[in-house]
Amino acid sequence: MSYHADERGYYGEFGGAFIPEMLYPNCEELRQNYLKIMAEPSFQEEFHQLLKDYVGRPTPLYFAERLSKKYNTKIYLKREDLCHTGAHKVNNTIGQILMAKRLGKHRIIAETGAGQHGVATATVCALMGIECVVYMGEIDIARQAPNVARMKMLGAEVHPATSGSKTLKDATNEAIRDWINNPVDTHYIIGSVVGPHPYPDMVARFQSVISEEVKSQLLEKEGRENPDFVVACVGGGSNAAGAFYHFLDTPEVGIIAVEAAGKGIHSGESAATSALGKVGIIHGSKTLLMQTPDGQITEPYSISAGLDYPGVGPLHAHLYTSGRGEFISITDDEAMKAGLDLCKFEGIIPAIESSHALAIFKDRKFKENDVVVVNLSGRGDKDLQNYIDYFKL
Amino acid sequence: MNRIKQKLQEDKKILSIYFTAGYPSLNDTVKIIQDLEKSGVDLIEIGLPFSDPLADGPTIQASSTAALKNGMTTTLLFEQLKDIRKTVSIPLILMGYFNPVLQYGVEAFCKKCEEIGIDGLILPDLPLDVYLAEYETIFKKHGLINVFLITPQTSDARINAIDEASEGFIYMVSSASTTGAKEGFGPEQSAYFERIASMDLKNPQIVGFGISNAQTFQQATSKAKGAIIGSAFIKHLTQNGVDGIDAFVGQIR
Ligand SMILES: Cc1ncc(COP(=O)(O)O)c(C=O)c1O
């Protein structure tokens, strides 16, 4: 049994392409070409060259000695926070911009919530000299001003999404509508392992460089390729998909996905999709999503804008329902405290998204000899104001 | 015989009107349907509002958001429609996104439609392959016609597959766009209308998107069997409420 997508883009019962006919040619063009293009040696060469020289890969696998002592286990941090632009998001945008070029596209659109994916997309568009339009909810534009400025400096046009709840899901709707209206010359760079097939699989493949590196780095440090556990936070699920990818079909490796509980799973202000979601369709994918009994998609909440998505990638829905993955949810308070702990113990200021993954150690105990790899998906620069407000710094 | 099929056999151009249930006011549904029938419309598409209508432009999005705010739900819409067949005989289609149908339960939804006297469904994000593999038998069991969309970008091979799977009409989206995005038709549309007409499909085609007045209705139906008006009618409702529906329809043809 494999936990990867089948050729129709299904992970168990999840995935597929539930899209209006207007999007069929766009997705079909991508579906027919993505594996072929990714397999081309020239693509692989350019992709890996850019990851090395531009993004700064491989990112270190760092043994967090003081943190390990505190929790009496062996904690390694995969340092995606050291990527150019400050998070793992750029692995995917580099891959997709090369894909778009080979498909002959002249215009890029993207959605963004906190602005991390928007910045990563604007960055690669600047790198390639391609027009870039980023859709962002009106509310997010107001609360993520520095990233809006970054995107503008990088030459992107930031379009406010003013429909619905004016946040990430609505920005995604607007990007999809743009794609419907511009089916020929435009490529949509989706920011996570969500959306219609082939996006979840394609984005997971681009992010899989994370676990590929972990394997060889762990071999060097521990004399074995497989950790006992891999831990990652899940918004849409792309950093987690990349961190889990090469371990999915290795049952000895425990997979731990960490979701945002917000103010508590049952507080009504939460983004813990696996616990609160039901099977449905969001943005062209059949997956678990937070919705009303009537099937209207609801607005999630988390202190971390990057985890604030009402759905989860179909891979993760499958990991959850099949029991392959262990799902833990972490509240705002637990995450903020774990973030500050990492600063104090290791001198690293993490993104609040990543702090959720770090927060599991308080209650989830591991054996002394367990090797636990935590994917540190991003750095905390973008969250400074949040940290300042929260800790009254 | 299914009312849609019966209507399509008439020797005339079909005028179909879309509106969002629960808009402008929660309880306008029945009156709008009755007035549309009285005004001589041939077919009605009742929109089931959705929080995330991907294929719709600003006008229909706003009407959906307002309808949901007004309190519209699938259950309530079925309640409003339960006696509709006592007063109207016009073919009725429910149009919406797949998720609310999935949550209601596809079988339960179809059964309810049959009880009420709904004739067909348009669910743009229920793809052809999934429909055929999982839902066709359920739709058919309850006498519901499923309407598929095609666009100027749809390949001939796929149009033929859709024609094969269809049994009422094909919804011909006039341009690569969301609803209400473009008004009027250019040479690209003429070529597309021509191409589809020459394919000799077994199902008649009804054109939607971009039709707002007598001129665009004429253009759209020069080759096709009929045309659908959505955003323009929603705008009329926004400005006039449920008054003057006959005048709106009267200026189309
Ligand atoms: C640092 C960081 N981690 C995680 C995420 C969540 O996304 P995903 O679940 O796709 O990795 C984001 C999204 O913005 C992010 O910026």
Side-chain angles (χ1 to χ4, degrees):
Chain A
M1 154 135 190
S2 171
Y3 289 92
H4 293 279
D6 69 19
E7 65 190 42
R8 291 165 54 242
Y10 278 86
Y11 300 84
E13 68 165 304
F14 302 108
F18 291 78
I19 46 172
E21 194 62 32
M22 292 80 106
L23 281 177
Y24 183 84
N26 311 29
C27 290
E28 189 59 14
E29 181 187 25
L30 198 56
R31 190 188 69 78
Q32 286 181 1
N33 290 296
Y34 82 111
L35 291 176
K36 229 173 13 202
I37 290 176
M38 285 177 76
E40 285 168 10
S42 71
F43 181 95
Q44 284 300 321
E45 194 181 317
E46 202 178 345
F47 181 55
H48 286 287
Q49 197 69 45
L50 283 170
L51 288 184
K52 177 165 174 277
D53 297 338
Y54 189 71
V55 174
R57 304 203 71 93
T59 58
L61 183 69
Y62 164 71
F63 177 60
E65 195 175 342
R66 295 189 65 213
L67 206 62
S68 296
K69 232 178 232 130
K70 179 171 156 79
Y71 292 111
N72 199 30
T73 188
K74 291 170 98 168
I75 302 174
Y76 281 88
L77 302 178
K78 181 59 175 162
R79 299 288 310 273
E80 294 301 297
D81 61 316
L82 295 177
C83 288
H84 178 43
T85 71
H88 68 290
K89 295 280 177 190
V90 73
N91 302 328
N92 169 45
T93 60
I94 292 270
Q96 286 207 49
I97 198 79
L98 296 179
M99 180 70 61
K101 269 176 61 176
R102 279 163 175 77
L103 291 169
K105 307 293 177 181
H106 308 296
R107 180 173 173 271
I108 295 296
I109 52 172
E111 85 295 339
T112 197
Q116 285 306 104
H117 174 60
V119 168
T121 304
T123 298
V124 298
C125 287
L127 179 68
M128 298 294 170
I130 295 182
E131 180 187 348
C132 178
V133 175
V134 179
Y135 288 90
M136 188 170 188
E138 208 170 41
I139 291 177
D140 291 332
I141 286 180
R143 62 183 179 189
Q144 307 288 340
N147 272 344
V148 175
R150 281 185 189 105
M151 286 185 269
K152 287 184 177 162
M153 287 179 73
L154 292 161
E157 213 180 290
V158 181
H159 275 215
T162 58
S163 60
S165 49
K166 304 178 176 56
T167 58
L168 176 58
K169 85 176 170 69
D170 309 282
T172 309
N173 292 338
E174 287 302 328
I176 292 174
R177 289 181 188 121
D178 181 312
W179 209 23
I180 288 175
N181 285 288
N182 298 285
V184 181
D185 67 334
T186 298
H187 175 73
Y188 176 22
I189 300 191
I190 242 176
S192 192
V193 286
V194 300
H197 178 58
Y199 278 106
D201 185 48
M202 181 173 71
V203 176
R205 284 168 189 263
F206 287 140
Q207 292 291 0
S208 71
V209 64
I210 299 172
S211 47
E212 192 183 312
E213 289 173 4
V214 167
K215 279 175 94 98
S216 56
Q217 291 168 323
L218 213 52
L219 185 62
E220 204 174 284
K221 292 179 194 298
E222 290 284 335
R224 55 169 161 136
E225 286 193 328
N226 293 334
D228 295 294
F229 295 92
V230 192
V231 185
C233 66
V234 174
S238 67
N239 87 86
F244 300 163
Y245 196 88
H246 291 286
F247 305 117
L248 285 172
D249 295 337
T250 311
E252 310 87 87
V253 180
I255 280 174
I256 302 180
V258 186
E259 292 182 320
K263 296 184 176 163
I265 288 189
H266 299 296
S267 66
E269 291 185 78
S270 171
T273 308
S274 66
L276 299 170
K278 280 179 39 197
V279 179
I281 313 286
I282 181 168
H283 299 137
S285 180
K286 188 174 196 181
T287 187
L288 292 171
L289 62 127
M290 292 167 57
Q291 51 184 318
T292 67
D294 195 41
Q296 310 298 339
I297 300 173
T298 54
E299 193 55 22
Y301 163 81
S302 163
I303 193 168
S304 135
L307 302 183
D308 216 348
Y309 184 69
V312 67
L315 160 66
H316 300 291
H318 186 47
L319 292 178
Y320 176 72
T321 51
S322 66
R324 172 68 181 97
E326 177 181 345
F327 281 64
I328 296 177
S329 46
I330 291 295
T331 62
D332 289 356
D333 292 337
E334 292 167 326
M336 295 306 274
K337 197 175 165 309
L340 197 59
D341 271 358
L342 192 72
C343 302
K344 300 257 156 87
F345 279 82
E346 299 290 349
I348 299 170
I349 302 177
I352 301 177
E353 290 81 5
S354 321
S355 299
H356 284 74
L358 295 162
I360 66 164
F361 292 102
K362 191 169 63 70
D363 293 324
R364 172 70 167 85
K365 296 298 169 204
F366 296 90
K367 295 200 209 92
E368 193 177 340
N369 286 325
D370 279 347
V371 170
V372 184
V373 173
V374 179
N375 197 38
L376 195 65
S377 57
R379 66 177 90 126
D381 305 28
K382 69 180 176 68
D383 296 317
L384 219 50
Q385 194 58 49
N386 257 326
Y387 281 123
I388 291 168
D389 294 345
Y390 188 88
F391 291 112
K392 313 252 177 312
L393 299 172
Chain B
M1 191 202 248
N2 182 292
R3 291 180 199 89
I4 299 170
K5 288 189 191 171
Q6 212 161 356
K7 177 59 76 177
L8 289 166
Q9 285 177 359
E10 290 179 17
D11 184 23
K12 67 184 290 203
K13 298 295 183 183
I14 302 291
L15 170 60
S16 178
I17 300 275
Y18 167 93
F19 75 98
T20 306
Y23 182 83
S25 300
L26 183 60
N27 295 312
D28 287 339
T29 315
V30 171
K31 175 161 171 60
I32 291 173
I33 293 170
Q34 289 171 341
D35 283 9
L36 284 172
E37 178 175 54
K38 273 187 223 137
S39 314
V41 164
D42 299 302
L43 210 153
I44 298 174
E45 292 169 22
I46 306 166
L48 186 59
F50 183 48
S51 55
D52 296 76
L54 287 183
D56 286 301
T59 305
I60 294 180
Q61 281 172 42
S63 70
S64 296
T65 305
L68 292 173
K69 218 171 253 162
N70 289 342
M72 185 47 79
T73 63
T74 309
T75 308
L76 180 61
L77 178 60
F78 284 148
E79 184 60 30
Q80 290 178 343
L81 293 177
K82 77 178 186 319
D83 293 325
I84 195 71
R85 284 299 172 203
K86 290 186 180 152
T87 57
V88 304
S89 60
I90 187 170
L92 295 173
I93 293 179
L94 284 190
M95 178 162 187
Y97 290 81
F98 189 43
N99 195 49
V101 178
L102 202 57
Q103 298 317 312
Y104 195 90
V106 178
E107 172 98 55
F109 189 94
C110 292
K111 184 161 172 282
K112 199 79 199 177
C113 286
E114 184 182 18
E115 282 167 24
I116 288 168
I118 299 293
D119 306 290
L121 299 177
I122 307 177
L123 303 168
D125 59 344
L126 172 59
L128 178 64
D129 59 332
V130 177
Y131 169 73
L132 291 176
E134 296 180 41
Y135 301 116
E136 186 182 27
T137 50
I138 300 175
F139 278 46
K140 290 205 162 149
K141 182 171 136 198
H142 296 286
L144 294 168
I145 281 176
N146 189 30
V147 178
F148 294 100
L149 276 55
I150 61 171
T151 82
Q153 266 70 41
T154 312
S155 69
D156 284 3
R158 187 158 169 89
I159 291 173
N160 283 322
I162 285 170
D163 190 37
E164 196 52 45
S166 303
E167 47 163 357
F169 64 91
I170 291 174
Y171 192 133
M172 224 175 119
V173 176
S174 65
S175 65
S177 72
T178 45
T179 53
K182 295 173 186 161
E183 271 190 30
F185 300 126
E188 198 187 322
Q189 273 73 39
S190 307
Y192 166 55
F193 294 164
E194 198 74 49
R195 169 166 84 95
I196 302 304
S198 72
M199 283 183 76
D200 240 342
L201 301 174
K202 79 178 164 84
N203 292 278
Q205 307 95 49
I206 301 189
V207 180
F209 292 35
I211 297 137
S212 57
N213 52 28
Q215 191 200 353
T216 39
F217 181 77
Q218 285 264 318
Q219 285 175 316
T221 54
S222 66
K223 293 274 184 297
K225 176 72 179 168
I228 302 158
I229 296 179
S231 296
F233 183 62
I234 299 288
K235 282 182 189 152
H236 171 86
L237 291 173
T238 304
Q239 282 159 16
N240 306 282
V242 294
D243 294 331
I245 288 178
D246 53 344
F248 177 85
V249 175
Q251 53 157 17
I252 304 294
R253 65 163 189 203

